[in-house]
Amino acid sequence: MAMYTPASLLLILVVVAAELHSPTFASHVASSSCIPHEREALLAFKRGITRDPWGFLVSWQRGGEDCCKWNGVVCSNHTGHVLKLQLGTYSLVGQISHSLLSLEHLEHLDLSGNSLNGSSGGRIPEFLGSMNSLKHLDLSSIPFSGRVPSQLGNLSNLQYLDLSSSTQNSLLRSTDLSWLTHLQFLQYLNLCAVNLGAVRDWALAVNMLPSLKVLEFSRCSLTNANQSLPRLNLTNLEVLDLSGNLLDHPIASCWFWNITHLKHLNLESTDLYGPLPLALGGILPNEMGQLTSLNFLDLGQNSISGVIPNCMGQLTSLAYLDLSQNNISGMMPDSMRTLTGLVYLDLTYNNITGPLPSFVGLFTSLSYIDLSYNHLTGHVPREIGMIGNLENLDLTSNNLDGTITEEHFASLKSLRCTFSKAMYLNISNNQIHGGLPENMERMSVQQLYLGSNQLTGAIPPMPISLTTLDLSGNLLSGPLQ
Ligand SMILES: *[C@@H]1O[C@H](CO)[C@@H](O)[C@H](O)[C@H]1NC(C)=O
Ligand SMILES: *[C@@H]1O[C@H](CO)[C@@H](O)[C@H](O)[C@H]1NC(C)=O
Ligand SMILES: *[C@@H]1O[C@H](CO)[C@@H](O)[C@H](O)[C@H]1NC(C)=O
Ligand SMILES: *[C@@H]1O[C@H](CO)[C@@H](O)[C@H](O)[C@H]1NC(C)=O
Ligand SMILES: *[C@@H]1O[C@H](CO)[C@@H](O)[C@H](O)[C@H]1NC(C)=O
Ligand SMILES: *[C@@H]1O[C@H](CO)[C@@H](O)[C@H](O)[C@H]1NC(C)=O
Ligand SMILES: *[C@@H]1O[C@H](CO)[C@@H](O)[C@H](O)[C@H]1NC(C)=O
Ligand SMILES: *[C@@H]1O[C@H](CO)[C@@H](O)[C@H](O)[C@H]1NC(C)=O
Ligand SMILES: *[C@@H]1O[C@H](CO)[C@@H](O)[C@H](O)[C@H]1NC(C)=O
């Protein structure tokens, strides 16, 4: 029989009181420990992992430990059920165990970036379509192959689905997207690199998803985006990426120009051609709304022709504009002066003529300008020197003339104490003449290319920050200081 002296009783009381106040004990009270059959399911999942190079699952062990505290496991504080498995990018190798089906309350499953293609012949396991509670499913960059199982269409609570591959050649494909149309709450859909080449009516399937905010269909082997939709459902869509598909029809006939609240549109490298559509400020009077919320517009590497429309100036939210490598002609319209929020402007490899407008100097947020390989004429406007954030200015291979003065470099005077900005300046292959400005020494430029112009006179002291200099093909004389 145990005998407690008053002294030992006091000791026990002190220990209990200390435990009550210790943080581990307090959190143990707040969160219920894990449900036994869910712990078994997690242990069974671990048995499907054949390699865990970083030991991420070391904490997953049979024994007294609360599985809600295991790496990557998040439980409900109220019920103790496992709600989330966050196992993305841990280089795990193996297979996705059926045992996950026992996690009946799982809402969030992230297995991205692991080589968990070891079952079902390398396919996405069909049983995942029975995990009814899932709201978030991320299977991106798992080297699955074969068809996307239509069972995924049973996940009627899904808000987020990512089956994309970051590598060029995903072996996943889907020949029929009707399974998608059941996902009524889907807000984010990323199938980048999944082969959808056989799905002619993909836009009709997508149009059945009224909650969609983000649609990432880059590199999907899509062959067209000119479907005619009876009525547009996608009133919430903000991000659309179709880059790297061979659409090969007039850009104006794409189905999405009615989505006037789009914020991000990427059509880079899609073989689209012809003049820009009305929605981007096309030539005809405004019949439909303009995409005035657009912040990001990439139409680079296509065969877009005609001019930059006047009404492009209405896209006043634009921060990123890339029209490079097209067949755009005419001048940069004066209406573009309203695009004062631009950070990135790339018009390289087009047929743009006329002067480089001085209003560009008012775009004080600009950090990247590439207008190289066009037919710009006239002087380089002094106002360029007012853009304080400029890191990259490329005016190579135009017909610019006039002289370069200190004012052009006003913002580069190194009142800035660091040379952290990798300032790149290329005005090669133009007809700039006259001498170089005297006081270049304290400019914060790292790479300066002024080759193949008609610069004359002596070479002044060069910027201290300089790492690369090209003055070849000019009429300069004297020593390099
Ligand atoms: C559980 O409670 C902790 C601590 O209060 C909190 O950080 C965590 O977000 C909660 N978990 C869930 C799933 O609500
Ligand atoms: C899983 O993917 C890897 C890498 O692509 C591949 O070598 C392996 O054969 C695949 N396993 C199965 C079962 O398909
Ligand atoms: C799950 O999806 C398959 C294929 O789409 C379908 O045949 C089956 O009826 C669905 N099951 C449930 C429970 O919805
Ligand atoms: C719009 O979405 C709803 C819900 O998915 C669907 O029933 C309807 O057919 C869709 N309309 C069109 C024109 O696709
Ligand atoms: C797009 O807008 C045009 C012009 O307002 C209209 O004729 C057309 O029906 C709209 N298309 C859809 C799919 O809503
Ligand atoms: C879509 O463009 C293709 C050419 O790529 C053309 O054959 C087809 O008729 C167009 N469809 C519609 C609905 O305009
Ligand atoms: C510029 O226009 C000429 C003639 O119109 C054309 O031959 C050339 O391909 C165009 N350049 C680019 C880069 O599209
Ligand atoms: C470029 O556009 C002009 C008309 O602006 C056209 O004559 C020429 O064929 C186009 N060139 C290419 C390569 O598309
Ligand atoms: C600058 O422009 C010249 C002339 O076109 C070109 O040869 C050179 O490669 C350009 N410099 C860089 C770093 O791109």
Side-chain angles (χ1 to χ4, degrees):
M1 181 188 260
M3 290 291 291
Y4 291 108
T5 63
S8 66
L9 254 181
L10 186 64
L11 190 65
I12 290 168
L13 283 173
V14 168
V15 168
V16 168
E19 271 204 34
L20 274 170
H21 287 102
S22 81
T24 54
F25 190 75
S27 71
H28 188 74
V29 170
S31 68
S32 2
S33 53
C34 74
I35 314 280
H37 80 268
E38 296 194 352
R39 180 173 53 229
E40 292 310 311
L42 292 171
L43 289 169
F45 175 86
K46 184 181 175 180
R47 285 195 292 277
I49 305 299
T50 53
R51 272 184 48 211
D52 175 12
W54 300 351
F56 186 75
L57 301 181
V58 164
S59 63
W60 292 35
Q61 282 187 14
R62 193 175 297 281
E65 180 68 34
D66 176 1
C67 75
C68 294
K69 299 203 175 83
W70 292 354
N71 269 344
V73 180
V74 176
C75 298
S76 160
N77 284 338
H78 303 297
T79 63
H81 286 296
V82 177
L83 298 183
K84 295 188 184 184
L85 274 186
Q86 294 171 314
L87 304 177
T89 58
Y90 288 103
S91 308
L92 303 174
V93 179
Q95 62 173 52
I96 303 174
S97 164
H98 259 95
S99 69
L100 289 186
L101 284 174
S102 302
L103 305 176
E104 285 157 12
H105 300 265
L106 196 70
E107 293 178 356
H108 182 114
L109 179 59
D110 178 2
L111 301 174
S112 60
N114 295 300
S115 297
L116 295 178
N117 57 325
S119 61
S120 317
R123 285 154 209 269
I124 296 178
E126 294 175 0
F127 73 79
L128 289 175
S130 305
M131 302 189 67
N132 298 319
S133 301
L134 280 183
K135 292 180 180 165
H136 182 114
L137 179 59
D138 189 347
L139 302 176
S140 61
S141 297
I142 301 178
F144 286 126
S145 53
R147 287 171 69 144
V148 176
S150 59
Q151 282 79 1
L152 293 188
N154 289 347
L155 297 173
S156 55
N157 292 308
L158 217 52
Q159 295 171 6
Y160 183 107
L161 178 61
D162 192 345
L163 304 178
S164 66
S165 167
S166 47
T167 63
Q168 201 68 34
N169 44 356
S170 168
L171 297 173
L172 273 178
R173 64 175 192 284
S174 191
T175 51
D176 171 9
L177 287 181
S178 54
W179 59 273
L180 257 185
T181 63
H182 305 294
L183 306 179
Q184 287 300 299
F185 299 115
L186 204 61
Q187 295 179 11
Y188 176 98
L189 176 60
N190 190 338
L191 300 182
C192 289
V194 176
N195 189 331
L196 304 178
V199 194
R200 301 285 302 171
D201 60 351
W202 63 271
L204 278 75
V206 162
N207 193 38
M208 303 287 271
L209 303 175
S211 307
L212 212 56
K213 282 189 180 146
V214 177
L215 181 61
E216 303 273 358
F217 271 12
S218 174
R219 299 174 283 119
C220 286
S221 306
L222 299 172
T223 55
N224 62 333
N226 62 349
Q227 297 86 347
S228 73
L229 304 179
R231 197 175 63 84
L232 204 65
N233 254 341
L234 295 171
T235 51
N236 295 300
L237 197 67
E238 292 178 356
V239 177
L240 177 60
D241 183 355
L242 300 177
S243 60
N245 291 291
L246 293 183
L247 304 178
D248 194 25
H249 54 70
I251 186 168
S253 66
C254 291
W255 59 266
F256 43 78
W257 296 120
N258 279 28
I259 309 177
T260 49
H261 44 273
L262 271 184
K263 291 183 175 157
H264 180 115
L265 179 60
N266 192 345
L267 299 174
E268 191 200 1
S269 214
T270 44
D271 266 24
L272 290 166
Y273 57 85
L276 289 168
L278 295 174
L280 294 178
I283 312 133
L284 299 170
N286 286 353
E287 284 170 9
M288 46 164 79
Q290 312 262 306
L291 304 190
T292 48
S293 304
L294 267 189
N295 174 269
F296 178 105
L297 178 61
D298 190 346
L299 304 178
Q301 299 183 51
N302 286 294
S303 302
I304 296 165
S305 57
V307 299
I308 299 177
N310 242 319
C311 299
M312 179 147 301
Q314 293 186 14
L315 309 184
T316 50
S317 304
L318 273 183
Y320 185 106
L321 177 60
D322 187 345
L323 303 175
S324 65
Q325 301 187 55
N326 280 289
N327 185 17
I328 294 171
S329 52
M331 310 213 289
M332 287 173 71
D334 194 53
S335 63
M336 282 181 87
R337 67 168 57 245
T338 56
L339 304 183
T340 53
L342 279 180
V343 174
Y344 186 103
L345 175 63
D346 190 350
L347 305 177
T348 186
Y349 284 104
N350 277 290
N351 268 336
I352 295 170
T353 53
L356 168 55
S358 58
F359 62 70
V360 170
L362 302 175
F363 297 177
T364 49
S365 305
L366 265 179
S367 73
Y368 185 101
I369 308 178
D370 190 352
L371 303 175
S372 61
Y373 298 95
N374 277 291
H375 304 301
L376 294 173
T377 51
H379 299 191
V380 178
R382 289 192 308 271
E383 286 81 354
I384 289 277
M386 291 160 58
I387 311 175
N389 290 308
L390 204 55
E391 291 174 33
N392 183 101
L393 174 63
D394 199 340
L395 303 174
T396 299
S397 294
N398 280 284
N399 300 318
L400 295 165
D401 56 28
T403 58
I404 295 287
T405 66
E406 255 183 77
E407 282 168 293
H408 284 104
F409 299 128
S411 71
L412 306 178
K413 291 264 189 58
S414 60
L415 293 175
R416 295 179 189 165
C417 44
T418 64
F419 298 126
S420 56
K421 296 204 171 178
M423 177 66 199
Y424 164 80
L425 194 64
N426 200 340
I427 316 184
S428 301
N429 205 11
N430 280 283
Q431 278 109 51
I432 308 292
H433 55 78
L436 287 167
E438 284 300 320
N439 299 322
M440 296 177 70
E441 218 171 340
R442 304 209 59 82
M443 273 168 55
S444 59
V445 168
Q446 295 189 341
Q447 301 181 53
L448 183 59
Y449 296 84
L450 295 172
S452 302
N453 279 289
Q454 283 142 38
L455 294 168
T456 52
I459 301 172
M462 283 289 130
I464 322 166
S465 53
L466 211 58
T467 58
T468 315
L469 175 67
D470 182 1
L471 296 174
S472 65
N474 283 290
L475 306 163
L476 294 159
S477 57
L480 194 58
Q481 305 176 45

